[in-house]
Amino acid sequence: MTNQYSITLLPGDGIGPEIMDVTVKVLEAVGKQCDIKFNFQTALIGGAAIDAKGVPLTPETVETCLKSDSVLLAAIGGYKWDNLPRELRPETGLLGIRAALELFANLRPATILPQLIDASSLKKEVVEGVDIMVVRELTGGIYFGQPKGIFTSETGEQRGVNTMAYTVSEIDRIARVAFETAQKRQKRLCSVDKANVLDVSQLWRDRLIKMSEEYPDVELTHMYVDNAAMQLVRNPKQFDTIVTGNLFGDILSDAAAMLTGSIGMLPSASLGANRPGLFEPVHGSAPDIAGQDKANPLAQVLSAAMMLRYGLNEPEAATKIEEAVLKVLDLGYRTGDIMSEGAKAVGCQEMGKVLLQVLEGN
Amino acid sequence: MTNQYSITLLPGDGIGPEIMDVTVKVLEAVGKQCDIKFNFQTALIGGAAIDAKGVPLTPETVETCLKSDSVLLAAIGGYKWDNLPRELRPETGLLGIRAALELFANLRPATILPQLIDASSLKKEVVEGVDIMVVRELTGGIYFGQPKGIFTSETGEQRGVNTMAYTVSEIDRIARVAFETAQKRQKRLCSVDKANVLDVSQLWRDRLIKMSEEYPDVELTHMYVDNAAMQLVRNPKQFDTIVTGNLFGDILSDAAAMLTGSIGMLPSASLGANRPGLFEPVHGSAPDIAGQDKANPLAQVLSAAMMLRYGLNEPEAATKIEEAVLKVLDLGYRTGDIMSEGAKAVGCQEMGKVLLQVLEGN
Ligand SMILES: [Mg+2]
Ligand SMILES: [Mg+2]
């Protein structure tokens, strides 16, 4: 039986269309092999939407996304739109689609690819084999908590205030995503908090412990956020899956990503509650090299693999794509951003062709 | 003219007394050379105070500290007192003396010593020459902000809440310490916040910019906390002095410390408003090796150097101590915790003797 999925493509701006183009071909090739049919529709977002429709996100794009099974985004933004008022900036379109899809769980892998290990600032023996998944809560915590603002006290002094808050239901739903993510990996989940000082962390920890009863196959541990920042530097191999709140996740997912030394290779996933997930590379739209066939499409291709694994539950097809990426690197093909001595320099399109050859040769 | 200082020694527990003993001898030796007279008095804190007086901090100890020019602390705690109720634990004594001295500024250096560079998990070329000072606000921010607690909403759902708040006067006084610290260093200050999202950070950034008018010789830059965590991993050499709030400082000072790979070598300083500062190593009391002449006294010795530089404004004497520590390492002397092949293994007392020889040979 053929599984069918409706996928909304949001190529966006800059190098977005080029890398999306390669990714669609890769998805179609792997679909044929795994008996999966993708029905793609393309929609506008970011600068492309501003140019065509005057706003960075239209109701039509939102509707198209909501009706699909998954959304694959490339990148948005560019110099051209930098001086528009905030509500008309490309970034506002991205925030809008995230809100519309209620994407409360952000999955940020930090995987060391053996072929690119020299790019890391850490010693080879420290990062060899590192494969971390940070599950970050994305719609709660201190970035959204009320009250917030700059207030003036009775004495006339200004006081800046933000509120870090989580409810039980907010914690439980991110915990569920984290336990299920760990189940697809090495089944070790490290919850990062500051429960020795923060009440909100104490509730977070209590709920994680409670939820772990439903996932007896996953080993749950706890770590304070300052120690986690140290341990990522000291011995990142100790981690499998990490779950944490919005602010701590913002900091730790970026620190973990930087361990790899090649941010341009990293995909990400954002998952909602009973809504399509959104999958996108960590890198930006790189307007300086747009349209020159210089872009590295691999993070976008790996985002499609995350879509298959975490959005569509097609792990076999996901693995095929991930293995093809590794094989292409093994064969020595490199775009400019990851070029090293003795490797074969290729452009975006040729990288795509080699990927297809490898996939079809499998 | 001889400068005279009254110094309160808090040797505390575990290896504390041994490393304090070495440090006092080093201070006396450098005092002779620099025409400084130290009047030492020893007071009880932590487990030692519990055993002698029944509480981890007595009013007499607080009074002695308040009357002195600086306080030098070694380390507190041990298995023996771990099962006491919280108000009788050694750590409560430490929190008590910090509160009594109103220590709002925590200075945490992360310096790569060339002799110990191999201990870092980062590549030599990445960490060579790293010399960072993190100035962390210590008595405000989310660890103390009100309201805090776990509350039950009208719908019966629990919600954990903490408040990140800073007033203008709290920001200004830590900014002042940071600018003055940067003036004693490379005069580059990087303020870390999350001003793109947090109101409290926006006030923080506004005040830092305002305060910088008074310090035209210091170059002020700003960085978001997630990017700072990345940059510490990617290229730590870019930083000189970092100033940030309590929570961000907790995370980043530990991450920066771990870049060195030898936490056992790191000192720290905590400064108050018109009160004596407190100087202590980052490491703990190591009860497992206490009394065996195995402890590494160098972080304690370097804490005394920080006391001279940041507490007593005696930079020349501070430099003498720091140079002596480097020289001893150059000569190949190592305690067990930093031992490497081909080095000369020494105990705590012998490390002290070699330090004195080097100091007196200068
Ligand atoms: Mg971030
Ligand atoms: Mg800490």
Side-chain angles (χ1 to χ4, degrees):
Chain A
M1 210 195 69
T2 305
N3 288 337
Q4 292 221 23
Y5 302 106
S6 155
I7 309 293
T8 298
L9 306 175
L10 301 174
D13 308 319
I15 60 171
E18 303 163 56
I19 61 179
M20 187 65 93
D21 197 54
V22 167
T23 304
V24 166
K25 287 177 187 150
V26 167
L27 277 170
E28 282 175 335
V30 82
K32 250 181 239 161
Q33 290 177 25
C34 297
D35 215 0
I36 301 170
K37 175 145 178 42
F38 298 104
N39 300 308
F40 296 111
Q41 51 277 341
T42 301
L44 293 170
I45 195 168
I50 295 170
D51 287 353
K53 307 280 180 177
V55 289
L57 181 67
T58 63
E60 296 80 56
T61 291
V62 172
E63 204 187 326
T64 305
C65 289
L66 281 170
K67 279 199 289 199
S68 58
D69 294 307
S70 269
V71 179
L72 193 58
L73 171 75
I76 54 117
Y79 316 124
K80 188 177 166 187
W81 306 283
D82 270 357
N83 293 317
L84 291 171
R86 184 179 290 266
E87 69 276 14
L88 286 183
R89 296 236 198 100
E91 292 74 17
T92 304
L94 186 54
L95 295 176
I97 193 66
R98 283 180 182 158
L101 298 176
E102 292 182 26
L103 302 170
F104 67 85
N106 188 213
L107 272 60
R108 288 276 306 271
T111 309
I112 287 278
L113 304 180
Q115 299 87 347
L116 302 178
I117 196 165
D118 289 340
S120 175
S121 57
L122 277 76
K123 288 177 179 160
K124 192 174 171 177
E125 62 270 25
V126 176
V127 286
E128 210 160 34
V130 161
D131 179 10
I132 301 171
M133 179 70 79
V134 179
V135 179
R136 168 189 172 192
E137 202 287 330
L138 204 56
T139 53
I142 196 167
Y143 293 170
F144 297 93
Q146 293 289 346
K148 70 197 195 84
I150 298 176
F151 305 99
T152 304
S153 75
E154 293 137 38
T155 65
E157 189 180 22
Q158 284 191 304
R159 181 171 183 256
V161 175
N162 288 90
T163 300
M164 187 185 281
Y166 275 112
T167 63
V168 166
S169 54
E170 284 177 317
I171 299 168
D172 287 2
R173 69 178 184 175
I174 187 73
R176 210 169 279 288
V177 171
F179 279 108
E180 285 167 13
T181 302
Q183 281 180 325
K184 294 181 183 178
R185 296 172 44 89
Q186 287 180 50
K187 301 186 171 54
R188 293 185 294 113
L189 180 62
C190 178
S191 171
V192 172
D193 62 36
K194 191 69 187 179
N196 53 341
V197 186
L198 298 180
D199 305 86
V200 59
S201 282
Q202 188 57 59
L203 184 63
W204 177 282
R205 186 175 287 211
D206 291 347
R207 292 310 305 172
L208 264 287
I209 291 168
K210 181 77 191 157
M211 295 287 290
S212 72
E213 292 168 10
E214 292 181 43
Y215 301 90
D217 55 329
V218 176
E219 179 205 26
L220 175 67
T221 57
H222 306 273
M223 193 177 280
Y224 297 136
V225 61
D226 49 333
N227 189 29
M230 283 208 280
Q231 296 303 323
L232 279 175
V233 170
R234 195 186 71 84
N235 177 22
K237 282 183 226 178
Q238 70 189 284
F239 295 105
D240 170 33
T241 308
I242 290 173
V243 62
T244 189
N246 202 342
L247 171 63
F248 298 164
D250 190 6
I251 299 169
L252 296 182
S253 65
D254 281 340
M258 193 47 90
L259 298 175
T260 68
S262 36
I263 297 262
M265 290 293 298
L266 294 175
S268 79
S270 300
L271 307 177
N274 305 315
R275 307 236 167 161
L278 183 143
F279 304 85
E280 60 182 314
V282 168
H283 65 67
S285 62
D288 51 316
I289 58 162
Q292 299 170 41
D293 194 34
K294 287 181 180 169
N296 179 352
L298 296 178
Q300 183 74 55
V301 168
L302 290 171
S303 298
M306 283 195 87
M307 177 179 85
L308 288 164
R309 189 182 305 280
Y310 294 102
L312 306 175
N313 202 21
E314 295 279 2
E316 192 201 336
T319 302
K320 268 194 201 294
I321 291 181
E322 287 158 358
E323 285 176 356
V325 167
L326 290 178
K327 185 73 190 291
V328 163
L329 294 173
D330 269 341
L331 293 172
Y333 294 98
R334 300 282 188 279
T335 44
D337 59 313
I338 54 172
M339 188 59 195
S340 61
E341 230 186 277
K344 295 167 204 155
V346 292
C348 183
Q349 290 193 37
E350 196 178 340
M351 185 62 101
K353 272 185 210 151
V354 185
L355 266 173
L356 291 180
Q357 282 166 13
V358 164
L359 268 173
E360 280 151 14
N362 268 355
Chain B
M1 209 195 72
T2 305
N3 288 339
Q4 291 222 22
Y5 301 106
S6 156
I7 309 294
T8 298
L9 306 174
L10 302 173
D13 309 318
I15 60 171
E18 303 162 58
I19 61 178
M20 188 65 93
D21 198 53
V22 167
T23 305
V24 166
K25 288 177 186 148
V26 167
L27 278 170
E28 281 175 337
V30 82
K32 249 181 240 162
Q33 291 177 24
C34 297
D35 215 0
I36 301 170
K37 175 143 176 47
F38 299 104
N39 300 309
F40 295 112
Q41 50 276 339
T42 300
L44 293 168
I45 196 168
I50 295 169
D51 288 352
K53 307 281 180 177
V55 290
L57 180 68
T58 63
E60 296 80 55
T61 291
V62 172
E63 205 187 326
T64 304
C65 290
L66 281 171
K67 280 199 291 199
S68 57
D69 294 307
S70 270
V71 179
L72 193 58
L73 171 75
I76 54 117
Y79 317 124
K80 187 178 166 186
W81 306 283
D82 270 357
N83 294 318
L84 291 171
R86 184 178 290 265
E87 70 275 15
L88 286 182
R89 295 238 197 100
E91 292 74 18
T92 304
L94 186 54
L95 294 177
I97 193 66
R98 284 180 182 159
L101 298 176
E102 292 182 27
L103 303 170
F104 67 86
N106 187 213
L107 273 60
R108 288 276 305 270
T111 309
I112 286 279
L113 305 180
Q115 301 86 348
L116 302 178
I117 196 166
D118 290 340
S120 175
S121 57
L122 277 75
K123 288 175 180 162
K124 192 174 171 179
E125 63 269 25
V126 177
V127 287
E128 211 159 34
V130 162
D131 179 10
I132 302 171
M133 179 70 80
V134 180
V135 179
R136 167 188 172 193
E137 202 288 331
L138 204 57
T139 54
I142 197 167
Y143 293 171
F144 296 94
Q146 292 289 346
K148 69 196 195 85
I150 298 175
F151 305 101
T152 304
S153 73
E154 292 136 40
T155 64
E157 189 180 21
Q158 284 190 305
R159 182 171 183 256
V161 175
N162 288 90
T163 300
M164 186 185 281
Y166 276 111
T167 63
V168 166
S169 53
E170 284 177 316
I171 299 167
D172 286 2
R173 68 177 185 176
I174 187 74
R176 211 167 280 286
V177 171
F179 280 107
E180 285 168 12
T181 301
Q183 282 180 324
K184 294 180 183 178
R185 298 172 42 90
Q186 289 181 50
K187 301 187 171 52
R188 293 186 294 114
L189 180 62
C190 177
S191 170
V192 173
D193 62 34
K194 189 72 185 176
N196 52 341
V197 187
L198 298 180
D199 306 86
V200 58
S201 282
Q202 188 57 59
L203 185 63
W204 177 281
R205 186 175 287 212
D206 291 347
R207 292 310 305 172
L208 265 286
I209 292 169
K210 181 77 190 154
M211 296 287 289
S212 71
E213 294 168 10
E214 292 181 43
Y215 302 90
D217 55 329
V218 175
E219 180 206 24
L220 174 67
T221 57
H222 306 274
M223 193 178 277
Y224 298 135
V225 62
D226 48 333
N227 189 29
M230 282 208 281
Q231 296 304 324
L232 278 174
V233 170
R234 194 185 72 82
N235 177 21
K237 282 183 225 178
Q238 71 188 283
F239 296 105
D240 170 32
T241 308
I242 291 173
V243 61
T244 190
N246 203 341
L247 171 62
F248 298 164
D250 190 6
I251 298 169
L252 295 182
S253 65
D254 281 339
M258 192 48 91
L259 298 175
T260 69
S262 35
I263 295 263
M265 289 293 298
L266 293 175
S268 79
S270 301
L271 307 177
N274 306 314
R275 308 235 167 160
L278 184 142
F279 304 84
E280 61 182 314
V282 168
H283 66 66
S285 63
D288 50 316
I289 59 162
Q292 298 170 41
D293 194 35
K294 287 182 181 169
N296 179 353
L298 296 178
Q300 184 73 54
V301 168
L302 291 170
S303 299
M306 283 197 89
M307 176 178 84
L308 288 163
R309 189 181 304 280
Y310 295 101
L312 306 175
N313 202 23
E314 294 280 2
E316 192 202 335
T319 301
K320 269 194 200 293
I321 290 181
E322 288 159 357
E323 285 177 356
V325 167
L326 290 178
K327 186 73 191 290
V328 162
L329 294 172
D330 269 341
L331 294 171
Y333 295 97
R334 301 282 187 279
T335 45
D337 58 315
I338 53 171
M339 188 60 194
S340 60
E341 230 185 276
K344 296 167 204 155
V346 292
C348 182
Q349 291 193 38
E350 197 178 341
M351 185 61 100
K353 272 184 210 150
V354 186
L355 265 173
L356 290 179
Q357 282 166 13
V358 164
L359 267 173
E360 279 150 15
N362 269 355

